[in-house]
Amino acid sequence: MHLIKTILFSLIIAVQINAQTDTTTSAVEIFIIDSYITPEIPNKFVLSFFTGDSSTSKLVIMDKKIFDVSKTLSENHKIELELNKLNLDSAMFKYVVVAYDRKGHETRSEVYHVELPQGLIISDEQDVGIFRICLGGIVFAIPSPAYLWFNNEHHWSISKEIPLFSFYSVGYNYPSGYLGVEYSYVFDSERKNFLRVGYKHIIQVPEIKYISPGLNYFTDFSGYNGLSAELSIGLFQIQNVFTFYTRYRYNFQLQNNGTGFHEFSIGLFSNFFSLNL
């Protein structure tokens, strides 16, 4: 009986030693050389690395996008990927390098993160060059029509909002929020001119583009001052440069018994000329 226990114990030790040996010999060291995004258009993600032994390799982005780097055994590996073909929608992305030695044993690197340049639009239909610059200029000039009602009075108006400062966090196709200034002209009204300054927060949602609550301070330059609360819904993009939206806004005074008026408008949003922070 004692002899059988000794034999079994020896076999278990031998199996463990062999397993550890296989694990050690199958591990391929991975050394990252370069990992960056090119500034020129089209923006590319460039990755180069070498392995401690000849191996094939793959690149895994965001745990779901897999790309072949080296299909044949090699110690030097390099890949370039255009960002607008990756359909990314975050301020950074993560990746893992997977190497396979001659016997097919797999080694995975640690998880690496890459930050994208601020203001970069990630899209498979990204437009650049003169067309996009001209389109941005047109958006900058187009006013937004609005319908106002105050008690029994109804008016049309046009307004133009200019995002001055855009703030980025996790979203990249849109900022997380922006500070803007807006001028409105109201037709056939005693109060024709309004200036607003406020902050709009952008929440990206599935199916549509975003929901944006906001708060503004307004004045008509003649003593009619107050606050306006609003909610905008970004419905769809045009040429991936600007977004068609609808907006409801309630404007109210802090004095005079809170006299206010309602406003519904449509327009085109673009932070093309804003300062990105």
Side-chain angles (χ1 to χ4, degrees), residues 5-255:
K5 290 182 178 180
T6 301
I7 293 173
L8 290 176
F9 179 76
S10 299
L11 290 175
I12 292 173
I13 294 298
V15 169
Q16 290 180 343
I17 292 175
N18 288 333
Q20 292 176 357
T21 301
D22 289 341
T23 301
T24 301
T25 56
S26 65
V28 175
E29 291 184 292
I30 300 173
F31 304 92
I32 302 296
I33 303 174
D34 285 317
S35 177
Y36 63 92
I37 294 175
T38 59
E40 63 274 3
I41 295 174
N43 303 95
K44 296 180 180 180
F45 170 54
V46 179
L47 173 66
S48 62
F49 58 94
F50 69 87
T51 51
D53 193 5
S54 296
S55 62
T56 59
S57 58
K58 295 181 182 291
L59 171 64
V60 182
I61 296 180
M62 301 299 288
D63 297 324
K64 57 184 179 181
K65 302 177 185 295
I66 303 176
F67 302 91
D68 289 318
V69 181
S70 298
K71 294 184 179 181
T72 58
L73 294 173
S74 176
E75 295 180 358
N76 298 308
H77 311 263
K78 184 175 182 179
I79 187 172
E80 295 184 3
L81 298 171
E82 292 188 12
L83 291 185
N84 58 3
K85 295 181 179 179
L86 297 181
N87 296 320
L88 300 173
D89 190 16
S90 61
M92 65 173 61
F93 65 88
K94 62 181 180 179
Y95 71 88
V96 172
V97 172
V98 184
Y100 303 88
D101 65 10
R102 300 174 186 275
K103 296 182 179 180
H105 296 138
E106 176 184 302
T107 301
R108 301 177 72 88
S109 71
E110 62 180 284
V111 178
Y112 297 96
H113 294 81
V114 178
E115 293 187 3
L116 280 66
Q118 290 188 351
L120 179 65
I121 297 178
I122 306 302
S123 170
D124 57 355
E125 299 177 355
Q126 184 177 20
D127 290 317
V128 296
I130 297 298
F131 175 73
R132 188 176 174 210
I133 293 174
C134 294
L135 195 56
I138 293 173
V139 173
F140 186 78
I142 292 177
S144 299
Y147 181 73
L148 286 67
W149 61 98
F150 172 69
N151 293 334
N152 294 323
E153 297 182 8
H154 301 266
H155 301 279
W156 289 97
S157 76
I158 56 174
S159 63
K160 183 58 199 174
E161 180 184 49
I162 303 175
L164 298 178
F165 303 98
S166 297
F167 306 96
Y168 283 85
S169 56
V170 296
Y172 243 80
N173 287 332
Y174 296 98
S176 59
Y178 65 92
L179 289 172
V181 60
E182 179 180 348
Y183 169 75
S184 299
Y185 179 83
V186 183
F187 298 96
D188 301 323
S189 173
E190 294 182 1
R191 299 184 176 91
K192 296 182 179 297
N193 302 288
F194 285 92
L195 180 69
R196 293 181 177 86
V197 178
Y199 174 77
K200 320 297 172 64
H201 188 71
I202 294 181
I203 304 170
Q204 298 185 53
V205 294
E207 306 303 332
I208 60 176
K209 294 303 179 180
Y210 64 78
I211 295 176
S212 177
L215 184 65
N216 310 275
Y217 170 80
F218 72 86
T219 179
D220 73 340
F221 307 101
S222 298
Y224 189 80
N225 309 318
L227 298 177
S228 59
E230 65 179 53
L231 181 67
S232 300
I233 300 177
L235 298 177
F236 57 87
Q237 282 188 318
I238 302 175
Q239 294 296 331
N240 294 306
V241 177
F242 53 91
T243 303
F244 179 85
Y245 69 83
T246 62
R247 173 183 293 162
Y248 168 76
R249 174 188 287 154
Y250 181 67
N251 308 271
F252 58 95
Q253 286 185 289
L254 299 178
Q255 299 176 349

